[in-house]
Amino acid sequence: MAVIEFERLSRRFDGQDVPAVNDLSLTVADGELLVVLGPSGCGKSTLLRILAGLEEADAGDIRLDGRSIIDLEPRDRDIALVFQQYALYPHLSARDNILYPLKVRNVAQAERQTRLGRAATMLNLDRLLARKPAQLSGGEQQRVALGRAIVREPKAFLMDEPLSNLDAKLRTHMRTEIKALVQDLGTTTFFVTHDQSEAMTLADRIAVMSAGTIQQVGTPDEVYQHPANRFVAEFIGSPPMNLLRARADGDHLVVADGWRIPAPPGGRQRPSLDASSGSGLTLGLRPEAIRLSQTAEPGALAAEVFLTEPLGSEVIVNIRLGDEIVKVRTAPEVRPAPHDTVWLTALPGGVRLFDRVTGQALAG
Amino acid sequence: MSTSASPWRPRLPLPIRPGSADPRPTGATTAQASAAPGLPVEVAADVAVAPRTAARRRRGNRPRRSPVEWLLVHAAFALALLFFLSPFVWLLTAAFNARADYVLQWPSPWTLDNFRTVFTELDFSRYLRNSLIVSLSTMVLTTITVALAGYSLSRLDIRRKAWITYSILLLQTMPLSATMVPIYGLARELGLRNNYLGLILIHTAIELPFLVWMMKNFFDAVPRYLEEAAWIDGRSKFRAWFEILLPMARPGLAVAAGLSFLSAWSEVLMVLVLVDDPDLITVPFAFYRAARGSGSYQQVDYGIIAALGILYVIPVLIMFFATRRLMVRGLMNSTRGL
């Protein structure tokens, strides 16, 4: 159980112009499962390795329960790490792999067996303990690696893309297992991934990272519904949020093609709306924030269908709007053909606005 | 087509992993197969099933060999075998022959007299002890050194590392005889002539460059995350190296141990340079003296030389069989099981 605080952390690798981690501050609450989500190369793994003590920071501090750990060796940080490649010791059996950190710490023999038994039951490993890693499947190796982390009863778990070496089906399964495990143990967990569905399903909070900085921290819902900027809007969601050039016109927003959408209500955004109208706005609409109708509706915009992508449980309809393509999520039975005319209505609660220059969210 | 069409094909197939492409070019197949009699059986045994079908398929594509061709190929192999085996046959027969000569002779009667002479008159046990002390110490020192140096070059952040690494390889290309004089002077100044330490140090130095380079490659093949996992599990860097990396690099250590032992065991030039004390000479040097006899090459006692030869080879064979499995894995630079 622990609070992890990153304070103005920076790290630049030799020979690179852009820092991997850039003046980053972030707090992971006690018992929270925080997922750092970002594209490859955004610095999330570097951040995790600095936290683990495997990489050094150029500047900044990391505190664990208020105590600075930045100068400590990895072994003194009381943090367990689950690697993407599992990192099981090939010459040791699953049992000895799990017991290794306890042996290193001279935990009493009886206590070792108790903790091993508990972990093995929790992870359903009893039948596998005698095997060497080479005799285990990927999922089993992953469970042993988790076992090695939990027997230590550390202050925090770090997980570095622990699921990305598993096949798709197993990944979904292990995702559930990890979530249940962490909930059971209540241990603070710092989880790094590039997979947004992993992040959405696992996280108590998501920290979206790009170019060495945190773009937004929030619950999965917050991050999805109210992205802090264009990067988050485009990175999260599949398909991502539609971003359209717009300008303010009184109470309405006008999209390039002449689509008039009522501006989102509320007093807070109005001044910023006015302030930004000179430089221009970007309007954000999630694919499910647009209602598609195959018959004419008052106030709706008529547009031409470009392509229909059926996905089983839903259909993504691509619609041509001027020189842009808008993706709309519809029910599975809606199947407009290319060149059909459909009518679009933006749902009032789903309109998001961004400054076209800075990319920052303006409203909502 | 029956198997008798190519009966010289060895029973055990070469080690080909099932599913992997057959590396043997069709034309050279038999020659290569026969030329590798030392290939360990266990390597081949675990893949014995799959290549058989591949071999049959290949045989089907090849024209039949005529009996004459069969005979010629066999004769050629028999001749080659005879040529390479005859020195060993001579060694065996001459050692047990009291009146041995430099030609092949069947001993009559078989006798142990030569061995007796070697131990009584030549004081062989002393030379053997010298050789064992020097070679085993060289082996231990070399193995420890390459394990540390290989790791350093593989993992540590050292300035000008590439430069250092290639200089080490460059050292390996230096002919030993070119350094004879400075080594003599150095050893004399440091008091390293006529003692074990001098021999151990120089033999270690001779073997280090190649083996350090080799060990570096072994450590390169061990993924970094394994030792990182050990650090996080609570080990110091040294203990993580010792408990996690060294076991991974065991085949490499076996090769380092085997090669350094064999090299120190057979090295004679540096013994010649560093040792005058007759009590300190090693077995290969004793050979040299026995062959010179009483100063002229006319009265060489071939029986004694042969007996010496056999005694000389025995530790090498023991060494080989003790480390054979690991050596083969190491020499194939295989990281299977990682």
Side-chain angles (χ1 to χ4, degrees):
Chain A
M1 296 273 192
V3 180
I4 304 168
E5 295 161 281
F6 297 90
E7 194 187 295
R8 310 205 59 178
L9 203 68
S10 288
R11 169 68 170 152
R12 183 201 299 262
F13 289 110
D14 290 342
Q16 294 199 337
D17 309 335
V18 190
V21 174
N22 191 1
D23 198 19
L24 181 147
S25 299
L26 176 68
T27 302
V28 188
D30 185 19
E32 174 183 47
L33 201 172
L34 182 111
V35 175
V36 176
L37 173 67
S40 46
C42 73
K44 58 189 189 302
S45 281
T46 307
L47 184 64
L48 176 133
R49 290 174 60 84
I50 294 173
L51 174 55
L54 299 174
E55 204 78 66
E56 286 185 14
D58 299 331
D61 196 11
I62 301 177
R63 284 187 299 272
L64 186 63
D65 272 347
R67 193 171 66 106
S68 171
I69 57 167
I70 194 91
D71 292 324
L72 298 181
E73 289 286 319
R75 66 169 185 273
D76 299 324
R77 296 193 177 195
D78 200 9
I79 278 173
L81 169 55
V82 179
F83 289 80
Q84 181 177 354
Q85 305 88 346
Y86 323 130
L88 298 179
Y89 310 122
H91 59 300
L92 301 180
S93 65
R95 172 183 287 108
D96 292 336
N97 263 286
I98 295 174
L99 287 176
Y100 188 76
L102 301 182
K103 189 182 118 193
V104 170
R105 276 150 223 276
N106 292 317
V107 174
Q109 225 15 276
E111 175 70 12
R112 286 187 206 180
Q113 294 309 319
T114 318
R115 292 202 202 174
L116 172 71
R118 214 184 304 147
T121 313
M122 227 173 205
L123 294 160
N124 201 10
L125 283 171
D126 295 289
R127 287 179 309 106
L128 307 173
L129 288 177
R131 297 203 199 158
K132 291 272 179 72
Q135 298 165 304
L136 297 170
S137 71
E140 289 164 348
Q141 290 188 40
Q142 184 60 271
R143 297 217 303 270
V144 175
L146 285 169
R148 187 173 63 184
I150 65 177
V151 288
R152 279 181 50 188
E153 300 176 2
K155 281 190 171 164
F157 294 131
L158 312 190
M159 304 201 184
D160 187 6
E161 310 224 7
L163 302 176
S164 47
N165 279 15
L166 301 173
D167 62 64
K169 198 174 161 192
L170 204 55
R171 197 179 311 156
T172 322
H173 176 73
M174 285 303 295
R175 198 161 74 190
T176 322
E177 274 198 29
I178 288 183
K179 184 164 191 172
L181 188 73
V182 172
Q183 256 168 16
D184 260 17
L185 296 169
T187 308
T188 309
T189 304
F190 186 85
F191 189 110
V192 161
T193 183
H194 65 270
D195 181 333
Q196 50 166 307
S197 58
E198 220 167 276
M200 296 295 281
T201 48
L202 276 172
D204 291 326
R205 284 194 306 157
I206 295 177
V208 182
M209 193 168 171
S210 166
T213 55
I214 300 289
Q215 304 293 321
Q216 184 176 8
V217 187
T219 64
D221 278 342
E222 282 167 9
V223 171
Y224 185 82
Q225 295 297 345
H226 299 282
N229 56 37
R230 286 184 56 155
F231 173 82
V232 178
E234 283 179 303
F235 188 69
I236 295 200
S238 172
M241 185 178 266
N242 295 297
L243 294 173
L244 305 164
R245 294 159 72 89
R247 61 186 163 81
D249 179 15
D251 276 355
H252 281 71
L253 299 157
V254 183
V255 179
D257 206 34
W259 189 12
R260 288 177 69 83
I261 297 171
R268 192 160 53 86
Q269 77 279 9
R270 203 40 68 79
S272 58
L273 192 70
D274 295 337
S276 298
S277 50
S279 56
L281 296 165
T282 298
L283 177 84
L285 281 168
R286 288 275 174 210
E288 60 273 19
I290 302 172
R291 194 174 71 235
L292 179 146
S293 164
Q294 289 179 282
T295 52
E297 282 187 10
L301 174 79
E304 186 197 339
V305 173
F306 174 65
L307 199 71
T308 302
E309 301 170 272
L311 295 173
S313 61
E314 63 190 30
V315 174
I316 306 297
V317 184
N318 293 255
I319 291 151
R320 204 190 293 275
L321 216 62
D323 50 2
E324 290 175 290
I325 297 286
V326 173
K327 290 178 183 275
V328 180
R329 179 173 276 137
T330 65
E333 63 278 3
V334 181
R335 295 285 171 90
H339 307 301
D340 279 5
T341 301
V342 292
W343 284 265
L344 304 179
T345 314
L347 301 181
V351 178
R352 303 286 173 262
L353 282 174
F354 303 94
D355 186 298
R356 195 186 294 162
V357 178
T358 64
Q360 294 303 310
L362 293 175
Chain B
M1 167 165 276
S2 74
T3 41
S4 65
S6 51
W8 58 79
R9 178 175 297 282
R11 270 293 149 80
L12 284 166
L14 277 175
I16 306 165
R17 288 198 194 216
S20 71
D22 186 348
R24 287 177 288 177
T26 319
T29 306
T30 44
Q32 276 184 7
S34 308
L39 214 65
V41 171
E42 69 268 23
V43 178
D46 60 10
V47 289
V49 188
R52 199 163 288 163
T53 47
R56 194 169 295 146
R57 214 178 309 124
R58 206 171 41 248
R59 228 172 286 160
N61 295 339
R62 223 168 42 186
R64 272 169 173 275
R65 288 194 192 276
S66 72
V68 179
E69 203 179 341
W70 185 92
L71 207 70
L72 282 175
V73 171
H74 270 68
F77 280 124
L79 214 65
L81 205 63
L82 208 66
F83 182 78
F84 287 113
L85 274 184
S86 51
F88 295 98
V89 177
W90 178 86
L91 201 63
L92 273 173
T93 52
F96 295 97
N97 191 344
R99 295 183 303 277
D101 205 345
Y102 58 84
V103 292
L104 266 173
Q105 266 178 337
W106 200 249
S108 60
W110 290 73
T111 168
L112 289 173
D113 283 355
N114 292 330
F115 290 95
R116 224 165 276 134
T117 315
V118 164
F119 277 104
T120 52
E121 288 174 30
L122 277 180
D123 204 5
F124 180 75
S125 39
R126 182 189 296 276
Y127 309 146
L128 186 67
R129 206 189 61 206
N130 290 343
S131 262
L132 282 175
I133 289 173
V134 171
S135 302
L136 288 174
S137 310
T138 302
M139 180 178 93
V140 171
L141 184 61
T142 307
T143 310
I144 293 172
T145 313
V146 297
L148 290 165
Y151 176 82
S152 309
L153 289 177
S154 168
R155 290 289 203 272
L156 300 188
D157 240 352
I158 306 171
R159 282 186 57 202
R160 300 205 173 270
K161 188 153 84 175
W163 193 85
I164 294 171
T165 313
Y166 282 101
S167 319
I168 289 173
L169 202 61
L170 182 71
L171 282 178
Q172 184 68 34
T173 64
M174 296 283 174
L176 195 56
S177 34
T179 56
M180 219 157 56
V181 172
I183 283 176
Y184 175 84
L186 198 66
R188 207 178 57 177
E189 289 303 310
L190 295 174
L192 291 173
R193 295 197 73 241
N194 287 319
N195 63 36
Y196 290 137
L197 185 62
L199 284 178
I200 294 164
L201 286 179
I202 194 69
H203 285 153
T204 305
I206 292 169
E207 280 310 291
L208 275 183
F210 169 71
L211 293 175
V212 164
W213 184 271
M214 187 198 75
M215 263 336 269
K216 173 195 175 300
N217 287 333
F218 268 96
F219 283 118
D220 283 347
V222 180
R224 267 170 198 265
Y225 54 74
L226 284 180
E227 82 196 284
E228 291 176 348
W231 299 342
I232 288 181
D233 278 346
R235 274 299 184 226
S236 65
K237 292 198 172 176
F238 181 79
R239 288 289 290 272
W241 168 81
F242 187 76
E243 283 182 7
I244 304 299
L245 267 93
L246 273 196
M248 303 282 90
R250 229 172 40 210
L253 294 176
V255 174
L259 290 184
S260 56
F261 178 87
L262 290 182
S263 147
W265 186 255
S266 56
E267 212 283 325
V268 69
L269 182 63
M270 285 299 140
V271 184
L272 199 66
V273 172
L274 294 182
V275 176
D276 317 315
D277 185 349
D279 285 349
L280 280 175
I281 63 173
T282 56
V283 178
F285 194 81
F287 247 121
Y288 168 72
R289 296 212 320 181
R292 264 174 60 197
S294 52
S296 100
Y297 289 93
Q298 302 296 311
Q299 308 143 327
V300 179
D301 195 333
Y302 289 107
I304 287 177
I305 299 229
L308 262 177
I310 285 185
L311 292 169
Y312 183 47
V313 165
I314 287 172
V316 176
L317 290 180
I318 293 173
M319 191 70 204
F320 174 76
F321 282 105
T323 58
R324 164 179 65 128
R325 279 161 193 269
L326 280 172
M327 281 263 262
V328 167
R329 267 216 336 213
L331 288 170
M332 297 198 311
N333 213 343
S334 158
T335 48
R336 235 186 321 168
L338 279 188

